[in-house]
Amino acid sequence: MGLTILVIGSGGREHVIAQKFIKSPLVQEVYCAKGNPGMIRDGIQLVDIAEDNHKELIAFAEQNKVDWTFVGPEVPLLNGIVDDFKKAGLKIFGPEKAAAMIEGSKDFAKELMNKYHIPTAMHRTFHELEPAKEYVRMKGAPIVIKADGLAAGKGVVVAESVEEAISALEDMLEGNRFGASGAKVVVEDFLAGEEFSLLAFVRDQEIYPMTIAQDHKRAYENDEGPNTGGMGAYSPVPQIPQELVDEAIAKVLRPAAEGLIKEGCPFTGILYAGLIATEEGAKVIEFNARFGDPETQVVLQRLETDLAGIIDDLLNERIPAIQWKQDGFSLGVVVAANGYPEEYISGSVLPAFSSDCEQRVYYAGVSEKDGKLLSSGGRIYLVEAEGNTLEEAQQNVYQLLDSVDTTGTFYRKDIGAKAMKSAKL
Ligand code: AMP
Ligand code: GLY
């Protein structure tokens, strides 16, 4: 009998994770709570229990003889789903709440980085508006304003001017735009350089780094427009040299994992460092306690080893052997609803992809009506393709997107362009 696995989450990230699990020879059954209707075609079974209903999820896992659970998003981690499952004697992959605070509080993350000498932008934390304004006036622009706590990637303003920075501060500290998460604000120096995401499987002090990826956070081409959850990604990132990645593993991932152990909250799960390659080396702009979305949809295509086997090894005190592809590229483009990340429209009929292309379409904000998929969220789906070169991977994705009806939705046409520009320099 193969493994029975429960995945928590409902986005494109969970779609690719659950798809990798179900294709594994080790796996019998994959459930996803709540999942989305775009996952059904892969044989993933949807479970209609909310992510925050730990009691019912535990009961479901017990009744269905789930061997282990994999947590996709940050919110359940910060709600203590791992703590609760473990208390019930169930196996679950992800950090406990105390360790997930590395993502849940920017202030906690900054303190950890300072204490363990992890390179990051200089910062100050403020609870009150006036001293924050004064600090911003003293520092000048560009400067970065971040709401403490979770804000789905949208609590960050990279201000080009002091006025813009002050209005962001007013928004977060006075207007309470982000609710409780806006009560504290981190003001940090702007870091210039290319951004990349370095993720690793982590079990206490053991670190198994993944191939790096680059996300595209801004809504529109040329990195313009508001920040989003991510509009596309590719992996690997050829303009970031391996020495810099090795340095980031040694100076960022290792001390973070060791620091969390010393703080009494060891981390097991996926640790994600959002980094900027500055002239002084890689510096952290954020930590996440989970896989990235949309990075996962491309990074997992680079994995040669069976994902279910890796997680099973990590949960059962075995050392996983992990292999990454050495050649080629994977690139994914997010299709979002018109209006996203502000108010967006829902209910657009999604195109039907041919069955071989379907395998590389990962759904997020979708619902189903009369056998058709309709948009129901901001980020709707991602189309991924591979290529021997990045250009080829990009052409493969855009050819597919150009060939279907994308009415009511939009996507960036320049995912991967930065890498190709630097390659030609
Ligand atoms: P975060 O939610 O912290 O990942 O921030 C969202 C985006 O804002 C990042 O992906 C970066 O593009 C940008 N950003 C955040 N912090 C900085 C910084 N200190 N310097 C430059 N850009 C930043
Ligand atoms: N793609 C950025 C994130 O998942 O936070």
Side-chain angles (χ1 to χ4, degrees), residues 134-297:
E134 212 169 289
Y135 181 73
V136 160
R137 282 198 202 99
M138 194 259 293
K139 286 297 256 185
I143 192 148
V144 182
I145 316 288
K146 301 185 174 185
D148 194 54
L150 296 179
K154 293 160 222 153
V156 175
V157 174
V158 179
E160 308 285 341
S161 67
V162 169
E163 291 72 43
E164 196 187 337
I166 286 180
S167 100
L169 286 173
E170 285 171 348
D171 233 29
M172 291 179 197
L173 283 171
E174 263 189 356
N176 231 358
R177 177 150 182 229
F178 298 102
S181 73
K184 235 198 275 182
V185 161
V186 173
V187 180
E188 72 176 32
D189 288 359
F190 174 80
L191 298 176
E194 285 242 10
E195 214 171 317
F196 65 103
S197 308
L198 169 63
L199 287 79
F201 299 97
V202 175
R203 178 173 58 192
D204 302 334
Q205 73 284 359
E206 291 166 58
I207 289 172
Y208 304 95
M210 304 188 200
T211 299
I212 60 169
Q214 187 173 62
D215 189 8
H216 297 64
K217 299 252 167 129
R218 302 294 194 102
Y220 314 129
E221 273 112 49
N222 302 315
D223 291 335
E224 284 170 15
N227 265 321
T228 67
M231 295 298 291
Y234 60 93
S235 175
V237 188
Q239 68 275 34
I240 303 290
Q242 187 56 39
E243 300 83 76
L244 195 69
V245 177
D246 292 341
E247 186 190 296
I249 293 166
K251 292 193 174 164
V252 174
L253 292 182
R254 247 173 236 302
E258 281 162 15
L260 286 167
I261 294 171
K262 288 187 189 133
E263 295 302 306
C265 42
F267 188 103
T268 288
I270 308 294
L271 184 59
Y272 166 133
L275 299 158
I276 293 196
T278 74
E279 283 179 353
E280 298 161 357
K283 293 193 181 179
V284 176
I285 50 169
E286 67 167 344
F287 278 114
N288 293 321
R290 50 162 176 85
F291 266 119
D293 190 340
E295 288 95 327
T296 310
Q297 290 89 315

Side-chain angles (χ1 to χ4, degrees), residues 333-335 350-351 353 361-364 379-383 401 406:
V333 175
V334 169
V335 177
L350 304 190
F353 292 94
V361 179
Y362 296 104
Y363 291 99
R379 291 193 292 177
I380 308 167
Y381 61 93
L382 171 145
V383 172
L401 278 171
T406 52

Side-chain angles (χ1 to χ4, degrees), residues 297-340:
Q297 290 89 315
V298 295
V299 167
L300 288 184
Q301 317 298 345
R302 309 291 307 153
L303 182 60
E304 274 181 345
T305 321
D306 181 18
L307 179 66
I310 296 172
I311 305 299
D312 199 57
D313 284 345
L314 290 169
L315 283 170
N316 290 294
E317 309 302 326
R318 294 186 300 263
I319 304 283
I322 305 175
Q323 294 290 333
W324 297 92
K325 287 184 193 166
Q326 297 302 314
D327 301 314
F329 292 87
S330 163
L331 185 139
V333 175
V334 169
V335 177
N338 284 348
Y340 176 76

